[in-house]
Amino acid sequence: MESAAKTPKSLTLPWTTRITLWLLDIGLNLIMRKDGTVNRGLLKLVPLTPPSSEPINGVKTYDVVVDPTRKLWFRVFVPTQYTVEDLPVMVFCHGSGYIVASADTQLYDDFCRKFARELHVIVVSVDYRLAPEHRHPAQHEDGLDVLKFLDVEENRSKWLPGNANITKCFIAGDSAGGNMAHHVAVRASQFNFQQLQVQYILTLFETSPRSSVAEERMVVGLVSIQPFFGGEERIGSEIRLNGTAPVLTLKQTDWFWNAFLPLGEPYNRDHPVVNVSGRYAVDISKMDLPPTIVVVAGFDILRDWQIRYYEWLKKSGKEVYLVDYPNMFHGFNLLPELPESDQLILEVKDFIHNVLNKI
């Protein structure tokens, strides 16, 4: 079992990365209006990537509409160098506080393309509804409905490549997508799927071994990269890093939660969708959840909430792994110039390999 590494006193980053993070922070603050709405007009400046039938960096992509009435769709990423191999499917939920980004945002298109190519998986990137126009539980319903869509043989045969093995289905997400991946996996464990098997969850945290593996799960693994959790209490990393970490402040995270949570809810940030391990937490001890990998970083203000999540999974008897990047920050996985983003790919690849070896 791994323990969280010691965080350095200061963050060492290339100047180009610092400029990128500074610009992202300015842009984020500009779109967050004081009245709790999002400046969608300004977001039109964010670069998008169209689907590509011709491979780009070894991966071709196409879009699939699940429900046009709510504009629910997903982008499929197919690595072209493994056409005859039996490939797992990874359903991916993007981050950005539940309020911005999409499956075709350039940052996430690049990231999912890299996942597909390096992990040898078919990536299904979900374009879910955003807050505050659509509050919880809309996002988690969208995620589960994509799994239900893939559970229908006619849909799979029409929209997934022939070498996609849906019985090896992982779910993954970063930041808010990590929060979403957890809650969708919980919902999936309680739904009677006809074809899919879920057996492991990737959330980038450390491990508590289990003696047996369930034979019928919708998702076989969950990858949770710096999942977005919180609570009413201000805890260590929030106090220590607020205003000094390069990404995220308490003002921003509070704004995100206020935009996401249903109006009139009594629990505030102690709502179980936010504070998963708090006093209103759902009892998962008897749920058949898959193994999870949880990723944390030393300069992430959410770090201590993520470690609480890891400890809660372990205490609940779940198989969970912890991976710690002490000199990284929230969202480092999206910046390919950082060597740690490549190391993360290797960690996830090992996790997938170990999970599949147990099936």
Side-chain angles (χ1 to χ4, degrees):
M1 181 179 66
E2 299 178 11
S3 60
K6 185 177 180 180
T7 301
K9 291 183 179 180
S10 61
L11 182 61
T12 304
L13 292 174
W15 67 270
T16 52
T17 302
R18 291 186 176 275
I19 291 175
T20 298
L21 297 177
W22 178 70
L23 291 173
L24 289 173
D25 184 62
I26 290 176
L28 186 59
N29 287 325
L30 286 175
I31 65 169
M32 296 162 47
R33 292 174 172 150
K34 292 181 179 180
D35 63 359
T37 61
V38 173
N39 187 340
R40 300 286 175 203
L42 191 59
L43 287 172
K44 293 179 181 179
L45 300 175
V46 176
L48 304 178
T49 302
S52 54
S53 57
E54 293 297 321
I56 298 176
N57 295 327
V59 179
K60 66 179 182 179
T61 61
Y62 55 90
D63 298 340
V64 179
V65 176
V66 177
D67 184 353
T69 64
R70 52 178 155 151
K71 298 180 181 179
L72 174 59
W73 60 278
F74 58 80
R75 175 162 291 181
V76 182
F77 295 78
V78 182
T80 55
Q81 64 268 50
Y82 310 108
T83 55
V84 297
E85 294 187 32
D86 186 42
L87 298 183
V89 173
M90 176 175 285
V91 176
F92 182 79
C93 309
H94 68 78
S96 297
Y98 283 121
I99 67 163
V100 295
S102 60
D104 58 355
T105 298
Q106 183 177 314
L107 272 176
Y108 279 108
D109 183 273
D110 290 346
F111 182 70
C112 289
R113 196 177 299 272
K114 186 175 182 179
F115 251 31
R117 183 179 64 252
E118 301 296 334
L119 300 180
H120 307 176
V121 297
I122 308 294
V123 175
V124 172
S125 182
V126 182
D127 196 79
Y128 55 85
R129 288 170 289 176
L130 298 175
E133 295 86 351
H134 304 280
R135 294 174 177 266
H136 173 72
Q139 296 77 16
H140 301 170
E141 290 172 347
D142 288 351
L144 183 63
D145 284 348
V146 167
L147 294 181
K148 292 178 181 178
F149 182 88
L150 296 175
D151 190 42
V152 178
E153 184 176 358
E154 181 181 357
N155 293 336
R156 290 198 309 276
S157 61
K158 182 177 181 180
W159 295 114
L160 293 184
N163 60 339
N165 187 341
I166 200 64
T167 67
K168 299 176 181 177
C169 180
F170 292 80
I171 186 169
D174 71 326
S175 191
N179 175 293
M180 179 172 167
H182 166 78
H183 290 291
V184 171
V186 168
R187 287 172 176 244
S189 72
Q190 301 169 304
F191 186 82
N192 183 25
F193 290 95
Q194 299 302 309
Q195 299 292 332
L196 297 178
Q197 294 180 330
V198 177
Q199 304 193 10
Y200 291 85
I201 298 181
L202 302 177
T203 306
L204 303 181
F205 271 8
E206 201 159 294
T207 180
S208 171
R210 294 172 66 180
S211 59
S212 62
V213 175
E215 295 182 355
E216 295 185 359
R217 292 178 182 152
M218 169 56 189
V219 177
V220 299
L222 190 154
V223 181
S224 183
I225 304 170
Q226 298 177 279
F228 185 30
F229 296 120
E232 284 295 308
E233 176 189 6
R234 300 302 191 190
I235 63 176
S237 59
E238 291 179 310
I239 299 169
R240 184 175 67 255
L241 296 172
N242 184 45
T244 61
V247 178
L248 286 185
T249 64
L250 289 176
K251 181 180 178 180
Q252 290 170 343
T253 57
D254 287 354
W255 196 99
F256 296 157
W257 289 129
N258 288 336
F260 172 74
L261 287 170
L263 296 173
E265 283 286 350
Y267 303 132
N268 301 313
R269 291 190 306 274
D270 280 334
H271 189 292
V273 76
V274 181
N275 190 352
V276 288
S277 60
R279 55 178 174 166
Y280 301 112
V282 175
D283 182 6
I284 61 170
S285 61
K286 295 180 175 59
M287 292 184 184
D288 186 23
L289 295 178
T292 299
I293 180 172
V294 181
V295 178
V296 301
F299 290 89
D300 183 354
I301 69 168
L302 303 176
R303 172 187 176 88
D304 287 355
W305 287 112
Q306 296 156 358
I307 291 177
R308 282 192 182 187
Y309 171 58
Y310 157 71
E311 292 172 343
W312 173 66
L313 288 174
K314 187 167 66 170
K315 184 178 179 181
S316 299
K318 309 307 172 187
E319 182 177 351
V320 56
Y321 301 81
L322 176 66
V323 178
D324 190 2
Y325 292 89
N327 194 42
M328 283 292 101
F329 51 90
H330 194 83
F332 76 91
N333 56 296
L334 298 176
L335 301 178
E337 71 270 19
L338 299 173
E340 287 84 354
S341 67
D342 290 328
Q343 294 170 19
L344 171 59
I345 295 289
L346 295 177
E347 294 282 1
V348 175
K349 190 172 185 177
D350 285 345
F351 175 79
I352 292 174
H353 177 76
N354 292 335
V355 165
L356 295 180
N357 278 343
K358 295 179 182 179
I359 297 178

